[in-house]
Amino acid sequence: MVRTLILMRHGKSSYPDGVGDHERPLAPRGEREAALAGQWLRDNQPPVTAVRCSTAVRTRETLAATGIDAPVVFERGIYEASPRTLIELIQLSDDDVSTLLLIGHAPGMPWTAWELAANRDSVQAIELSRKFPTSALAVLEFDRPWTEVDPGTGELTHFHVPR
């Protein structure tokens, strides 16, 4: 079974006075672009069967704005996670999950996409390496179980920035 991993950076956040980083909400632009990302996913990717999402307010609001309604696990460890930590989290996915959406932050999302991609010389990878803006989506496919996902084992098939 081909497994699809979608790495999404949260939508554009606002910066209200006196609100800590973990608690920052989405800005109106972030809500709009996250909704566009959700529509793109529904139109262009297999149905999401599981979601792992950072506990930060802006990531939870990003997930809500996408309209994706797959089972979700909120993981505090996604916040400020390294690629190694994120890959270990991906490896814990159930065998019956065919499409996993992981919503987190920069630099974790772009670095993890880069680490997992075997095709780093592709147009998508080069574009991803230049900039991974808010609400961006990196889609990778794997020909192996989640437990065997490691650096360089995925095919980066899409890099999409919803605008």
Side-chain angles (χ1 to χ4, degrees):
M1 167 169 71
V2 172
R3 287 180 170 74
T4 303
L5 173 65
I6 303 160
L7 298 171
M8 180 178 190
R9 184 177 173 197
H10 62 77
K12 177 73 175 163
S13 60
S14 62
Y15 294 86
D17 289 338
V19 174
D21 186 67
H22 193 268
E23 304 308 315
R24 285 192 292 122
L26 285 182
R29 180 180 126 198
E31 291 176 18
R32 183 178 69 255
E33 291 172 354
L36 290 171
Q39 188 61 54
W40 184 85
L41 287 172
R42 283 185 290 284
D43 292 346
N44 297 284
Q45 296 302 312
V48 173
T49 53
V51 178
R52 290 190 182 258
C53 182
S54 165
T55 57
V57 170
R58 61 191 177 276
T59 53
R60 291 182 290 158
E61 290 180 352
T62 296
L63 173 59
T66 66
I68 301 294
D69 62 356
V72 61
V73 174
F74 293 99
E75 302 269 355
R76 183 160 181 91
I78 295 172
Y79 184 77
E80 297 185 343
S82 69
R84 183 72 247 158
T85 298
L86 293 171
I87 291 169
E88 288 172 357
L89 184 65
I90 292 161
Q91 291 170 339
L92 294 174
S93 298
D94 292 335
D95 286 338
D96 62 342
V97 172
S98 58
T99 303
L100 174 64
L101 172 61
L102 183 62
I103 304 176
H105 311 266
M109 293 298 106
W111 289 358
T112 301
W114 183 258
E115 281 290 312
L116 291 172
N119 57 328
R120 292 184 185 158
D121 58 349
S122 68
V123 171
Q124 297 93 333
I126 292 167
E127 190 177 329
L128 178 151
S129 72
R130 289 185 182 136
K131 188 172 184 183
F132 199 103
T134 54
S135 294
L137 301 155
V139 181
L140 296 108
E141 291 183 354
F142 298 89
D143 62 356
R144 63 195 66 226
W146 293 115
T147 55
E148 296 176 19
V149 167
D150 277 310
T153 62
E155 182 77 14
L156 181 64
T157 60
H158 296 86
F159 178 65
H160 180 70
V161 180
R163 298 287 188 255

